[in-house]
Amino acid sequence: HGMEDLTIVEGVPSDPSDKKASRTKSKNRHSNVSTASVDSGVIALGEEKSIMERRPSAVDIARNDSGVGMETTRVPRKTRETTDESNCADCERVNTVIDVEEEEESPRSYRTEEIALCPRCEKRRVERKETIQELVQTELSYGADLRVIKEEFYEPIEKAGLLTPQQLQTIFINILELMEVNDRFADKLQDAIEHAQEQGDEDYISLNIGQVFLEAANMLLAFETYCTKQPAAPAMLKTLESEKDLFRIFLEVSQTDNSALRRMHLSSFLMAPLQRITKKLKDQVV
């Protein structure tokens, strides 16, 4: 603003000899005001454009907030472990549980699934479940071999009249009874497993496998009959193969051409019940 105004405000006389000194004083004061304006946040006219150029735009701020248009780095997560003690659900022993929390930038954190079993009991549960699954699978496979004996050997030989009823009885013994027992036992196993799964019991803890065996105790009588009479079967089979050409040819062609036999001889299939009862006794002990 004009120098005259400054002289009036400051009360300085308008003597021409003093105008030069007053002008110099006013100039210094104007410089001091500009410096003070910058320090106080007030922007001088000459500096406004420079500061506006350096000020980030709203787009830049939004970009920085959203992470778009800038390289982001993955902040490593921090973990914190806490220990807790609880009783094992199976053996009731004190089990030390380690809870792992992952800390992110946000205050939220999550815990891993709690372990309710001690390592020993957890291993036993896994082994028990695997044993039950193997029992069911092998029982189904055994039943399939029994059907092969009936459908691929017993019924064709009986229908063709290659052997007499007495000879069939000596070789196949009570194979039909074993099939019926197997079907009932396999159904009980599968029903018990399905019931446990419907209850959400994935480890089959509620499945009383011993009770299933007790309910199928009559199958042991069928196995007893077969095991008692089986030693005579191989000898009879060998004798009939040497004496009856048609019977021998039938067995040879079946072994080589029938894919259902897996290139196995009748004598091999007749050993299946003996192998199965051994497996059953082992499973009962387990």
Side-chain angles (χ1 to χ4, degrees):
H1 305 288
M3 298 303 300
E4 292 77 9
D5 296 334
L6 290 175
T7 58
I8 293 174
V9 172
E10 295 296 329
V12 180
S14 57
D15 190 342
S17 62
D18 296 334
K19 285 183 178 181
K20 183 177 181 180
S22 177
R23 186 180 298 111
T24 302
K25 183 176 180 182
S26 176
K27 181 178 181 181
N28 292 336
R29 178 172 298 183
H30 182 74
S31 176
N32 293 335
V33 170
S34 299
T35 303
S37 298
V38 174
D39 294 339
S40 63
V42 180
I43 303 173
L45 294 176
E47 298 174 350
E48 181 177 1
K49 181 178 181 180
S50 175
I51 294 177
M52 289 297 294
E53 291 176 350
R54 296 196 301 269
R55 179 180 298 173
S57 64
V59 176
D60 294 332
I61 295 174
R63 182 182 296 112
N64 291 335
D65 291 342
S66 62
V68 178
M70 62 181 293
E71 183 179 358
T72 59
T73 57
R74 187 179 184 87
V75 179
R77 296 178 177 179
K78 300 179 181 179
T79 60
R80 182 173 68 245
E81 293 185 357
T82 59
T83 58
D84 188 15
E85 291 186 350
S86 61
N87 291 335
C88 174
D90 287 354
C91 66
E92 298 295 334
R93 294 179 180 176
V94 176
N95 181 33
T96 301
V97 181
I98 299 178
D99 293 336
V100 180
E101 295 183 354
E102 292 190 358
E103 299 177 347
E104 304 182 48
E105 292 182 355
S106 62
R108 294 183 305 171
S109 62
Y110 64 93
R111 286 172 37 175
T112 58
E113 183 180 358
E114 294 185 0
I115 302 175
L117 302 173
C118 65
R120 179 183 177 185
C121 291
E122 184 178 13
K123 181 180 178 181
R124 292 184 63 182
R125 279 197 180 188
V126 172
E127 292 175 347
R128 181 180 183 273
K129 180 178 180 179
E130 291 176 350
T131 299
I132 294 175
Q133 291 174 331
E134 181 185 1
L135 174 62
V136 175
Q137 184 59 44
T138 53
E139 193 68 21
L140 295 175
S141 298
Y142 165 65
D145 287 341
L146 293 179
R147 283 190 294 273
V148 168
I149 295 174
K150 175 187 175 183
E151 298 173 1
E152 305 300 333
F153 290 111
Y154 184 87
E155 291 180 344
I157 293 173
E158 181 184 37
K159 185 176 181 179
L162 298 179
L163 299 178
T164 66
Q166 183 61 38
Q167 292 169 337
L168 285 172
Q169 178 66 31
T170 302
I171 293 176
F172 294 99
I173 316 173
N174 62 335
I175 210 72
L176 299 180
E177 182 185 7
L178 290 175
M179 283 188 60
E180 295 176 0
V181 170
N182 167 259
D183 290 340
R184 291 196 298 267
F185 183 64
D187 289 342
K188 286 182 178 293
L189 286 175
Q190 290 179 307
D191 290 343
I193 288 179
E194 291 176 0
H195 178 72
Q197 292 175 340
E198 290 174 356
Q199 301 299 320
D201 182 7
E202 297 296 332
D203 293 330
Y204 309 152
I205 302 303
S206 60
L207 195 161
N208 190 340
I209 193 66
Q211 184 63 33
V212 177
F213 272 98
L214 291 175
E215 294 175 357
N218 62 327
M219 70 178 176
L220 297 179
L221 299 177
F223 277 109
E224 181 181 1
T225 300
Y226 189 87
C227 294
T228 302
K229 298 181 178 181
Q230 199 275 335
M236 174 64 74
L237 182 60
K238 186 175 181 180
T239 300
L240 293 174
E241 282 188 272
S242 62
E243 294 178 354
K244 295 179 176 291
D245 293 338
L246 290 178
F247 179 64
R248 176 177 52 80
I249 293 172
F250 168 78
L251 293 180
E252 292 176 354
V253 172
S254 298
Q255 182 178 357
T256 56
D257 296 346
N258 191 341
S259 60
L261 305 185
R262 308 189 299 276
R263 303 187 70 84
M264 293 171 57
H265 192 267
L266 173 59
S267 59
S268 298
F269 282 97
L270 294 176
M271 293 297 296
L274 295 177
Q275 297 170 348
R276 189 59 193 160
I277 187 59
T278 304
K279 175 67 176 174
K280 277 187 169 65
L281 293 175
K282 177 182 177 181
D283 291 338
Q284 283 184 309
V285 172
V286 173

